[in-house]
Amino acid sequence: MRRGRGWRRIQWMNAELDTRRIAAEFALDGAITDVRTHGGGLINDTFLVTTANRQQVILQRLNTQVFPHPEWILDNLRALLDHAARQDSHDLQLPALCRARDGRDYVTDNEGGFWRALEFIPDTRSLATLGNPEQAHAVGLALARFHRLLHDLPVNRLHTTLPGFHITPGYLRHFDDVLQDSVTGHSIALRDALEFVEEHRELAGVLERARTSGQLVQRPTHGDPKLDNFLFNRDGGQVVALIDLDTVQPGLVQVDVADCLRSCCNRAGESPADLFAVRFDLDMAAAILRGYLGEAREFLDSTDSEHLYDAIRLIPFELGLRFLTDHFAGDVYFKVAQPGQNLLRARAQFRLTEDIERHEGALRRLIESLAAA
Ligand code: ADP
Ligand code: GN1
Ligand code: MG
Protein backbone atom coordinates (compact mmCIF):
# COMPACT_ATOMS: atom_id res chain seq x y z
CA MET A 1 0.00 0.00 0.00
CA ARG A 2 1.34 3.50 -0.85
CA ARG A 3 1.29 5.78 2.17
CA GLY A 4 0.77 9.49 1.51
CA ARG A 5 2.32 12.59 3.01
CA GLY A 6 -0.58 12.91 5.53
CA TRP A 7 0.09 9.41 6.91
CA ARG A 8 3.78 10.15 7.29
CA ARG A 9 2.98 13.39 9.12
CA ILE A 10 0.76 11.50 11.60
CA GLN A 11 3.56 8.96 12.18
CA TRP A 12 6.00 11.79 12.80
CA MET A 13 3.61 13.53 15.24
CA ASN A 14 3.07 10.27 17.14
CA ALA A 15 6.82 9.70 17.37
CA GLU A 16 7.26 13.24 18.71
CA LEU A 17 4.54 12.69 21.31
CA ASP A 18 6.19 9.43 22.42
CA THR A 19 9.54 11.19 22.75
CA ARG A 20 7.96 13.95 24.86
CA ARG A 21 6.38 11.31 27.09
CA ILE A 22 9.77 9.66 27.62
CA ALA A 23 11.45 13.03 28.27
CA ALA A 24 8.83 13.73 30.96
CA GLU A 25 9.95 10.60 32.84
CA PHE A 26 13.25 12.30 33.62
CA ALA A 27 13.46 14.65 36.62
CA LEU A 28 13.83 17.88 34.66
CA ASP A 29 13.56 21.44 35.91
CA GLY A 30 10.21 22.74 34.61
CA ALA A 31 7.68 21.68 32.00
CA ILE A 32 8.97 20.51 28.65
CA THR A 33 8.54 23.19 26.00
CA ASP A 34 10.46 21.74 23.08
CA VAL A 35 11.81 18.43 21.82
CA ARG A 36 13.72 18.26 18.54
CA THR A 37 16.02 15.82 16.79
CA HIS A 38 19.66 16.75 17.15
CA GLY A 39 23.04 15.78 15.67
CA GLY A 40 23.86 13.45 12.83
CA GLY A 41 25.04 10.22 14.50
CA LEU A 42 24.76 6.98 12.54
CA ILE A 43 23.65 4.67 15.38
CA ASN A 44 21.54 6.21 18.17
CA ASP A 45 18.60 8.67 18.04
CA THR A 46 19.38 12.01 19.68
CA PHE A 47 16.97 14.77 20.79
CA LEU A 48 17.49 18.15 22.39
CA VAL A 49 14.90 18.78 25.12
CA THR A 50 14.20 22.27 26.51
CA THR A 51 12.11 23.12 29.58
CA ALA A 52 10.19 26.24 30.67
CA ASN A 53 13.06 27.00 33.09
CA ARG A 54 15.50 26.90 30.17
CA GLN A 55 17.12 23.64 31.19
CA GLN A 56 18.44 21.74 28.18
CA VAL A 57 19.25 18.04 28.09
CA ILE A 58 20.31 15.60 25.43
CA LEU A 59 17.87 12.69 25.32
CA GLN A 60 19.02 9.56 23.51
CA ARG A 61 17.46 6.28 22.53
CA LEU A 62 20.32 3.81 22.46
CA ASN A 63 20.35 1.38 19.58
CA THR A 64 19.75 -1.96 21.30
CA GLN A 65 20.49 -3.90 18.11
CA VAL A 66 24.01 -2.52 18.29
CA PHE A 67 24.49 -2.45 22.07
CA PRO A 68 23.26 -5.76 23.49
CA HIS A 69 23.45 -4.55 27.14
CA PRO A 70 22.69 -0.81 27.18
CA GLU A 71 22.74 -0.87 30.99
CA TRP A 72 26.47 -1.65 30.76
CA ILE A 73 26.97 1.65 28.93
CA LEU A 74 25.60 3.41 31.99
CA ASP A 75 27.75 1.34 34.37
CA ASN A 76 30.81 2.40 32.35
CA LEU A 77 29.72 6.01 32.24
CA ARG A 78 29.26 6.08 36.02
CA ALA A 79 32.69 4.45 36.54
CA LEU A 80 34.23 7.03 34.24
CA LEU A 81 32.48 10.04 35.79
CA ASP A 82 33.30 8.87 39.35
CA HIS A 83 36.92 8.39 38.37
CA ALA A 84 37.07 11.86 36.79
CA ALA A 85 35.44 13.41 39.87
CA ARG A 86 38.21 11.95 42.07
CA GLN A 87 40.99 13.69 40.08
CA ASP A 88 42.24 16.97 41.53
CA SER A 89 41.74 18.77 38.29
CA HIS A 90 41.19 17.87 34.73
CA ASP A 91 40.67 20.05 31.71
CA LEU A 92 37.91 18.20 29.94
CA GLN A 93 34.20 18.32 30.66
CA LEU A 94 32.20 15.11 30.41
CA PRO A 95 28.38 15.16 30.31
CA ALA A 96 26.69 14.14 33.57
CA LEU A 97 23.76 11.72 33.63
CA CYS A 98 20.26 13.00 34.47
CA ARG A 99 18.14 11.01 36.92
CA ALA A 100 14.74 9.66 35.99
CA ARG A 101 11.81 10.36 38.35
CA ASP A 102 12.02 6.79 39.67
CA GLY A 103 15.65 7.37 40.76
CA ARG A 104 17.28 5.30 38.02
CA ASP A 105 19.39 6.94 35.35
CA TYR A 106 17.54 5.50 32.37
CA VAL A 107 14.00 4.88 31.14
CA THR A 108 12.69 1.96 29.10
CA ASP A 109 9.62 2.10 26.87
CA ASN A 110 7.02 -0.49 25.86
CA GLU A 111 8.81 -1.32 22.62
CA GLY A 112 12.05 -2.29 24.35
CA GLY A 113 13.58 1.15 23.75
CA PHE A 114 16.32 2.20 26.20
CA TRP A 115 16.62 5.93 26.88
CA ARG A 116 19.01 8.09 28.87
CA ALA A 117 19.41 11.83 29.29
CA LEU A 118 22.61 13.82 29.64
CA GLU A 119 23.36 17.29 30.83
CA PHE A 120 23.67 19.60 27.79
CA ILE A 121 27.10 21.24 27.77
CA PRO A 122 26.33 24.89 26.96
CA ASP A 123 28.20 27.44 24.85
CA THR A 124 29.89 24.88 22.65
CA ARG A 125 29.93 23.95 19.02
CA SER A 126 30.97 20.89 17.09
CA LEU A 127 32.86 21.32 13.83
CA ALA A 128 31.97 19.64 10.55
CA THR A 129 35.60 20.00 9.40
CA LEU A 130 38.75 21.31 11.01
CA GLY A 131 39.47 24.88 9.94
CA ASN A 132 43.16 25.18 10.87
CA PRO A 133 46.07 23.32 12.52
CA GLU A 134 45.41 25.05 15.88
CA GLN A 135 42.03 23.32 16.05
CA ALA A 136 43.71 20.06 15.06
CA HIS A 137 46.25 20.50 17.86
CA ALA A 138 43.39 21.13 20.33
CA VAL A 139 41.74 17.84 19.27
CA GLY A 140 44.96 15.85 19.79
CA LEU A 141 45.47 17.47 23.19
CA ALA A 142 41.90 16.68 24.26
CA LEU A 143 42.17 13.03 23.26
CA ALA A 144 45.42 12.67 25.20
CA ARG A 145 43.82 14.35 28.22
CA PHE A 146 40.96 11.88 28.02
CA HIS A 147 43.38 8.93 27.88
CA ARG A 148 45.44 10.37 30.71
CA LEU A 149 42.33 10.84 32.80
CA LEU A 150 41.49 7.17 32.39
CA HIS A 151 44.86 5.48 32.28
CA ASP A 152 44.81 4.61 35.99
CA LEU A 153 41.24 3.31 35.95
CA PRO A 154 41.68 -0.50 36.05
CA VAL A 155 40.55 -1.68 32.65
CA ASN A 156 38.63 -4.59 34.17
CA ARG A 157 36.30 -2.06 35.82
CA LEU A 158 34.80 -1.46 32.38
CA HIS A 159 32.34 -3.69 30.55
CA THR A 160 32.84 -4.42 26.89
CA THR A 161 29.69 -2.67 25.71
CA LEU A 162 30.21 -3.61 22.09
CA PRO A 163 31.78 -7.05 21.65
CA GLY A 164 34.05 -7.30 18.61
CA PHE A 165 34.34 -3.51 18.24
CA HIS A 166 37.55 -2.62 16.35
CA ILE A 167 38.61 -6.26 16.09
CA THR A 168 39.33 -6.08 12.36
CA PRO A 169 39.72 -9.82 11.64
CA GLY A 170 36.22 -10.33 13.06
CA TYR A 171 34.81 -7.69 10.67
CA LEU A 172 36.57 -9.46 7.80
CA ARG A 173 34.97 -12.79 8.74
CA HIS A 174 31.57 -11.14 8.95
CA PHE A 175 32.17 -9.50 5.55
CA ASP A 176 32.96 -12.90 4.01
CA ASP A 177 29.77 -14.41 5.48
CA VAL A 178 27.57 -11.54 4.30
CA LEU A 179 29.11 -11.53 0.83
CA GLN A 180 28.44 -15.24 0.43
CA ASP A 181 24.72 -14.72 1.08
CA SER A 182 24.47 -11.56 -1.03
CA VAL A 183 22.60 -11.39 -4.31
CA THR A 184 23.63 -7.80 -5.20
CA GLY A 185 24.89 -7.39 -8.79
CA HIS A 186 28.49 -6.19 -9.00
CA SER A 187 28.89 -2.72 -10.56
CA ILE A 188 32.33 -1.32 -11.36
CA ALA A 189 32.25 0.64 -8.08
CA LEU A 190 31.51 -2.54 -6.16
CA ARG A 191 34.16 -4.54 -7.98
CA ASP A 192 36.75 -1.85 -7.13
CA ALA A 193 35.76 -1.94 -3.47
CA LEU A 194 35.89 -5.75 -3.37
CA GLU A 195 39.30 -5.72 -5.00
CA PHE A 196 40.53 -3.24 -2.39
CA VAL A 197 39.46 -5.61 0.39
CA GLU A 198 41.22 -8.53 -1.31
CA GLU A 199 44.46 -6.55 -1.56
CA HIS A 200 44.30 -5.64 2.13
CA ARG A 201 43.37 -8.96 3.78
CA GLU A 202 46.78 -9.32 5.35
CA LEU A 203 46.52 -5.87 6.97
CA ALA A 204 43.40 -6.84 8.95
CA GLY A 205 45.30 -8.75 11.66
CA VAL A 206 48.08 -6.24 12.27
CA LEU A 207 46.92 -4.88 15.66
CA GLU A 208 45.37 -8.12 16.88
CA ARG A 209 48.70 -9.88 16.30
CA ALA A 210 50.47 -7.20 18.36
CA ARG A 211 47.85 -7.44 21.09
CA THR A 212 47.74 -11.22 21.38
CA SER A 213 51.55 -11.41 21.44
CA GLY A 214 51.56 -9.00 24.39
CA GLN A 215 53.23 -6.07 22.61
CA LEU A 216 50.13 -3.93 23.04
CA VAL A 217 47.94 -3.79 26.13
CA GLN A 218 44.30 -2.93 26.46
CA ARG A 219 43.40 0.27 28.29
CA PRO A 220 40.25 2.31 28.76
CA THR A 221 39.44 3.90 25.39
CA HIS A 222 36.80 6.22 23.96
CA GLY A 223 36.05 4.02 20.96
CA ASP A 224 34.56 6.70 18.72
CA PRO A 225 36.61 9.94 18.85
CA LYS A 226 35.42 11.35 15.54
CA LEU A 227 35.51 15.09 15.06
CA ASP A 228 31.88 15.82 15.95
CA ASN A 229 32.34 14.20 19.35
CA PHE A 230 34.77 16.96 20.39
CA LEU A 231 32.91 20.04 21.61
CA PHE A 232 34.78 23.30 21.03
CA ASN A 233 34.23 26.58 22.84
CA ARG A 234 32.24 29.20 20.93
CA ASP A 235 35.22 30.73 19.12
CA GLY A 236 36.38 27.28 18.07
CA GLY A 237 39.87 27.65 19.57
CA GLN A 238 39.71 25.04 22.35
CA VAL A 239 38.12 21.68 22.96
CA VAL A 240 36.12 21.85 26.19
CA ALA A 241 34.36 18.48 26.21
CA LEU A 242 34.46 15.00 24.76
CA ILE A 243 31.06 13.36 24.33
CA ASP A 244 29.47 10.20 22.88
CA LEU A 245 30.84 7.93 25.59
CA ASP A 246 28.80 4.82 24.72
CA THR A 247 31.79 2.98 23.33
CA VAL A 248 34.10 3.66 26.28
CA GLN A 249 35.48 0.16 26.91
CA PRO A 250 38.75 -1.78 27.04
CA GLY A 251 40.64 -1.26 23.78
CA LEU A 252 43.82 0.08 22.21
CA VAL A 253 44.64 3.78 22.51
CA GLN A 254 46.29 3.53 19.08
CA VAL A 255 42.86 2.76 17.62
CA ASP A 256 41.43 5.92 19.20
CA VAL A 257 44.23 8.04 17.76
CA ALA A 258 43.78 6.44 14.35
CA ASP A 259 40.00 6.84 14.39
CA CYS A 260 40.40 10.49 15.31
CA LEU A 261 42.86 11.03 12.44
CA ARG A 262 40.75 9.24 9.83
CA SER A 263 37.83 11.47 10.76
CA CYS A 264 39.65 14.81 11.21
CA CYS A 265 42.16 14.55 8.35
CA ASN A 266 39.58 13.65 5.71
CA ARG A 267 38.14 17.10 5.11
CA ALA A 268 35.92 15.89 2.26
CA GLY A 269 33.78 14.10 4.89
CA GLU A 270 32.42 10.56 5.18
CA SER A 271 29.98 10.88 2.26
CA PRO A 272 31.92 13.10 -0.14
CA ALA A 273 30.25 14.71 -3.15
CA ASP A 274 33.46 13.98 -5.07
CA LEU A 275 35.39 10.82 -4.23
CA PHE A 276 38.51 12.25 -5.82
CA ALA A 277 38.47 15.06 -3.24
CA VAL A 278 39.19 12.56 -0.45
CA ARG A 279 42.68 13.14 0.91
CA PHE A 280 44.54 12.51 4.13
CA ASP A 281 45.59 16.01 5.21
CA LEU A 282 49.13 15.58 6.48
CA ASP A 283 49.34 19.06 8.07
CA MET A 284 46.25 18.39 10.18
CA ALA A 285 47.61 14.95 11.09
CA ALA A 286 50.90 16.49 12.19
CA ALA A 287 49.09 19.02 14.39
CA ILE A 288 46.84 16.36 16.00
CA LEU A 289 49.80 14.06 16.66
CA ARG A 290 51.82 16.94 18.09
CA GLY A 291 48.96 17.76 20.45
CA TYR A 292 48.46 14.11 21.38
CA LEU A 293 52.03 12.90 21.77
CA GLY A 294 53.11 16.05 23.61
CA GLU A 295 50.59 15.24 26.34
CA ALA A 296 50.69 11.43 26.28
CA ARG A 297 54.18 10.77 27.64
CA GLU A 298 52.85 9.78 31.05
CA PHE A 299 51.12 6.69 29.74
CA LEU A 300 52.67 5.83 26.33
CA ASP A 301 55.93 3.97 25.82
CA SER A 302 58.01 3.52 22.67
CA THR A 303 56.30 0.23 21.70
CA ASP A 304 52.99 2.07 21.81
CA SER A 305 54.09 4.68 19.31
CA GLU A 306 55.76 2.09 17.09
CA HIS A 307 52.31 0.71 16.31
CA LEU A 308 50.70 4.05 15.55
CA TYR A 309 51.31 4.03 11.81
CA ASP A 310 49.81 0.55 11.46
CA ALA A 311 46.72 1.69 13.35
CA ILE A 312 46.39 4.87 11.25
CA ARG A 313 46.43 2.75 8.09
CA LEU A 314 44.17 0.04 9.52
CA ILE A 315 41.26 2.02 10.93
CA PRO A 316 39.98 3.68 7.72
CA PHE A 317 40.31 0.30 6.02
CA GLU A 318 38.32 -1.27 8.87
CA LEU A 319 35.60 1.38 8.70
CA GLY A 320 35.40 1.01 4.91
CA LEU A 321 35.01 -2.73 5.40
CA ARG A 322 32.22 -2.16 7.95
CA PHE A 323 30.41 0.24 5.58
CA LEU A 324 30.81 -2.16 2.65
CA THR A 325 29.53 -5.11 4.68
CA ASP A 326 26.51 -3.06 5.70
CA HIS A 327 25.86 -2.14 2.07
CA PHE A 328 25.70 -5.86 1.21
CA ALA A 329 23.66 -6.63 4.33
CA GLY A 330 20.99 -4.05 3.34
CA ASP A 331 22.00 -1.05 5.50
CA VAL A 332 21.08 -2.66 8.79
CA TYR A 333 23.74 -1.04 11.02
CA PHE A 334 24.65 2.48 9.81
CA LYS A 335 21.76 4.85 9.08
CA VAL A 336 21.62 5.97 5.44
CA ALA A 337 19.92 8.96 3.83
CA GLN A 338 19.69 7.16 0.47
CA PRO A 339 20.45 3.70 -0.95
CA GLY A 340 24.08 3.26 -1.94
CA GLN A 341 25.37 5.66 0.73
CA ASN A 342 27.23 2.93 2.62
CA LEU A 343 29.01 1.94 -0.60
CA LEU A 344 30.03 5.56 -1.15
CA ARG A 345 31.22 5.76 2.46
CA ALA A 346 33.24 2.56 2.01
CA ARG A 347 34.91 3.85 -1.15
CA ALA A 348 35.78 7.13 0.60
CA GLN A 349 37.48 5.25 3.46
CA PHE A 350 39.38 3.09 0.99
CA ARG A 351 40.64 6.19 -0.87
CA LEU A 352 41.71 7.61 2.48
CA THR A 353 43.61 4.39 3.26
CA GLU A 354 45.38 4.64 -0.10
CA ASP A 355 46.39 8.23 0.58
CA ILE A 356 47.71 7.24 4.02
CA GLU A 357 49.75 4.50 2.34
CA ARG A 358 51.19 7.14 -0.01
CA HIS A 359 52.27 9.18 3.02
CA GLU A 360 53.72 6.21 4.93
CA GLY A 361 57.33 7.50 4.99
CA ALA A 362 56.35 11.00 6.12
CA LEU A 363 53.97 9.68 8.77
CA ARG A 364 56.48 7.24 10.22
CA ARG A 365 59.16 9.95 10.40
CA LEU A 366 56.73 12.37 12.02
CA ILE A 367 55.65 9.88 14.69
CA GLU A 368 59.23 8.92 15.42
CA SER A 369 60.37 12.53 15.83
CA LEU A 370 57.38 13.52 17.99
CA ALA A 371 57.68 10.44 20.20
CA ALA A 372 61.40 11.10 20.75
CA ALA A 373 60.93 14.82 21.49
P1 ADP B 1 25.65 9.76 18.30
O1 ADP B 1 26.05 8.54 19.09
O2 ADP B 1 24.41 9.55 17.56
O3 ADP B 1 26.80 10.28 17.47
P2 ADP B 1 26.17 11.94 20.16
O4 ADP B 1 26.20 11.56 21.61
O5 ADP B 1 27.47 12.18 19.50
O6 ADP B 1 25.29 10.87 19.37
O7 ADP B 1 25.25 13.23 19.99
C1 ADP B 1 24.95 13.79 18.73
C2 ADP B 1 25.27 15.29 18.72
O8 ADP B 1 24.53 15.95 19.75
C3 ADP B 1 26.72 15.64 19.01
O9 ADP B 1 27.54 15.64 17.86
C4 ADP B 1 26.62 17.04 19.63
O10 ADP B 1 26.50 18.03 18.64
C5 ADP B 1 25.31 16.96 20.39
N1 ADP B 1 25.50 16.59 21.80
C6 ADP B 1 25.45 15.34 22.33
N2 ADP B 1 25.65 15.33 23.65
C7 ADP B 1 25.80 16.62 24.00
C8 ADP B 1 25.99 17.29 25.26
N3 ADP B 1 26.05 16.60 26.40
N4 ADP B 1 26.08 18.63 25.26
C9 ADP B 1 25.99 19.34 24.11
N5 ADP B 1 25.80 18.78 22.90
C10 ADP B 1 25.70 17.45 22.83
C1 GN1 C 1 29.32 5.35 14.28
O1 GN1 C 1 27.44 6.66 16.55
P1 GN1 C 1 28.38 7.43 15.67
O2 GN1 C 1 27.73 7.98 14.46
O3 GN1 C 1 29.16 8.46 16.47
C2 GN1 C 1 30.13 4.12 14.71
C3 GN1 C 1 31.63 4.43 14.65
C4 GN1 C 1 32.01 4.91 13.26
C5 GN1 C 1 31.15 6.10 12.89
C6 GN1 C 1 31.40 6.57 11.48
C7 GN1 C 1 28.98 2.27 17.78
O4 GN1 C 1 29.51 6.38 15.21
O5 GN1 C 1 32.39 3.26 14.96
O6 GN1 C 1 33.38 5.26 13.20
O7 GN1 C 1 29.74 5.76 12.99
N1 GN1 C 1 29.76 3.76 16.07
C8 GN1 C 1 29.45 2.48 16.39
O8 GN1 C 1 30.77 7.79 11.28
O9 GN1 C 1 29.52 1.55 15.60
MG1 MG D 1 28.56 11.31 17.97
Side-chain angles (χ1 to χ4, degrees), residues 147 166 207-208 210-211 216-223 249-258 304 311:
H147 286 163
H166 292 309
L207 288 187
E208 275 304 283
R211 190 182 67 80
L216 295 180
V217 291
Q218 288 204 314
R219 300 182 168 106
T221 54
H222 182 283
Q249 63 174 32
L252 299 176
V253 289
Q254 289 81 357
V255 169
D256 269 359
V257 175
D304 284 319

Side-chain angles (χ1 to χ4, degrees), residues 224 226 228-229 244:
D224 188 13
K226 62 182 190 183
D228 60 11
N229 291 331
D244 206 348

Side-chain angles (χ1 to χ4, degrees), residues 185-263:
H186 290 187
S187 63
I188 294 178
L190 260 182
R191 277 211 306 272
D192 277 358
L194 291 171
E195 216 173 281
F196 193 87
V197 174
E198 286 317 304
E199 287 164 2
H200 286 78
R201 274 189 182 269
E202 190 48 32
L203 171 66
V206 67
L207 288 187
E208 275 304 283
R209 285 191 289 273
R211 190 182 67 80
T212 49
S213 69
Q215 291 177 63
L216 295 180
V217 291
Q218 288 204 314
R219 300 182 168 106
T221 54
H222 182 283
D224 188 13
K226 62 182 190 183
L227 179 58
D228 60 11
N229 291 331
F230 291 85
L231 298 184
F232 284 77
N233 60 354
R234 278 261 170 247
D235 75 14
Q238 277 173 4
V239 172
V240 294
L242 188 52
I243 56 163
D244 206 348
L245 304 168
D246 307 334
T247 46
V248 167
Q249 63 174 32
L252 299 176
V253 289
Q254 289 81 357
V255 169
D256 269 359
V257 175
D259 203 22
C260 180
L261 288 174
R262 70 100 203 135
S263 160

Side-chain angles (χ1 to χ4, degrees), residues 110 188 269 296 324 370 372:
N110 296 336
I188 294 178
L324 187 60
L370 290 173

